[in-house]
Amino acid sequence: MAQEISEWGRSLTHLYPSPEQMPRYSDDIKRDIFRFTKLWLTEGIPHAFQSNPIVFEYAREALAKELSENTKNISLTGSARIGFSMAPNRFGAAFNPNESDLDLFLISESWLEKLSADFFTWLARYRSGFAKSKNEREEYFWKSNADQLPAHINNKGFVDAWRIPNYERYEYVQQVNRAAELFRTQLNNHLPANTVFKKVTLRVYKNWDRAVSQIGGSLISSIKKRPIL
């Protein structure tokens, strides 16, 4: 039956599975990969904060207040969530608070609309020549963002705030970036001195279905490509 639990799914008996427990892909585990995405990769206490969970919640409250959002609509994914990288080229690499980014996401249709408005304003200025990059490196990223973000927004229902220029003209982008920085500083102010988070990024999804679809789809893509451990 399509709804049955796979052998791999039944093997997941811990909050933070090891890299070795991640499966090779097959169609019979697809449903459990998305179950894993919903329960392990978007909910609960992230691995990075298992020793200081209240600090994570404190920082999350500050971010939510800054954006006038419900705290429950803010979560964390990536290596900080599960304890190791799932990117194919770094699969299994342990999370390092002094090196790894914190990948936050927010579920908010209204903030998706606000950031999208800023993005498409920038895109029109960029394509018309009014917005000019400062150097070749910036031009490389701007071109990539101009090419990719419309499909992310219109087809996949998400946008990465950090991929839109953080200029005064784009007030919603600046507000989201300030909130992400507030989250980072609140963590660093309340965690042990030897733990210093250097970078926080924030992605906004239209709704939970879009978030689970994107995160779960990325996981499927990753385990198809990852090396055998």
Side-chain angles (χ1 to χ4, degrees):
M1 292 177 60
Q3 297 290 341
E4 283 296 322
I5 299 173
S6 67
E7 182 179 348
W8 171 70
R10 293 184 185 279
S11 76
L12 296 170
T13 58
H14 298 286
L15 293 176
Y16 310 112
S18 68
E20 291 77 14
Q21 286 181 272
M22 298 308 296
R24 303 304 294 175
Y25 181 76
S26 62
D27 288 341
D28 67 320
I29 66 167
K30 184 174 182 180
R31 286 184 180 272
D32 280 348
I33 287 176
F34 282 100
R35 290 169 180 144
F36 177 80
T37 298
K38 285 185 281 188
L39 190 56
W40 274 264
L41 298 186
T42 65
E43 297 181 19
I45 298 170
H47 184 277
F49 303 101
Q50 58 183 312
S51 298
N52 299 278
I54 201 68
V55 175
F56 172 76
E57 183 60 18
Y58 177 82
R60 193 167 69 143
E61 287 175 0
L63 190 154
K65 183 177 180 180
E66 188 75 9
L67 299 181
S68 299
E69 283 288 338
N70 190 305
T71 308
K72 293 286 286 182
N73 289 334
I74 298 164
S75 193
L76 181 70
T77 189
S79 60
R81 162 64 63 184
I82 202 68
F84 59 89
S85 175
M86 291 186 177
N89 62 334
R90 298 189 68 249
F91 193 92
F95 174 76
N96 184 334
N98 299 314
E99 296 179 5
S100 304
D101 294 348
L102 290 180
D103 302 318
L104 290 171
F105 68 88
L106 166 67
I107 307 299
S108 173
E109 186 170 3
S110 64
W111 272 104
L112 179 68
E113 291 174 354
K114 291 173 183 177
L115 291 177
S116 298
D118 274 353
F119 168 72
F120 285 112
T121 298
W122 169 81
L123 183 63
R125 289 176 54 78
Y126 173 64
R127 288 182 170 166
S128 65
F130 286 102
K132 298 182 182 296
S133 55
K134 297 176 183 176
N135 50 53
E136 289 184 6
R137 185 174 185 274
E138 186 171 67
E139 178 63 23
Y140 171 83
F141 288 111
W142 278 21
K143 185 179 186 305
S144 175
N145 296 340
D147 291 342
Q148 295 176 13
L149 265 62
H152 290 179
I153 294 168
N154 295 325
N155 301 335
K156 297 183 177 181
F158 76 86
V159 65
D160 294 307
W162 53 273
R163 297 187 68 178
I164 308 171
N166 189 34
Y167 293 167
E168 186 174 352
R169 180 185 299 273
Y170 312 114
E171 61 176 307
Y172 297 123
V173 174
Q174 289 206 315
Q175 189 174 349
V176 166
N177 286 332
R178 284 196 301 269
E181 178 60 14
L182 175 62
F183 178 89
R184 188 186 72 85
T185 57
Q186 294 288 21
L187 288 180
N188 289 340
N189 288 342
H190 292 87
L191 289 172
N194 62 344
T195 301
V196 179
F197 292 104
K198 295 179 180 179
K199 184 178 179 181
V200 173
T201 64
L202 196 147
R203 170 177 288 185
V204 178
Y205 286 102
K206 182 178 182 178
N207 53 45
W208 277 106
D209 286 344
R210 295 298 182 98
V212 171
S213 176
Q214 183 65 28
I215 296 169
S218 295
L219 176 56
I220 288 173
S221 178
S222 181
I223 65 175
K224 284 180 176 179
K225 297 174 183 176
R226 74 176 177 89
I228 297 175
L229 299 178

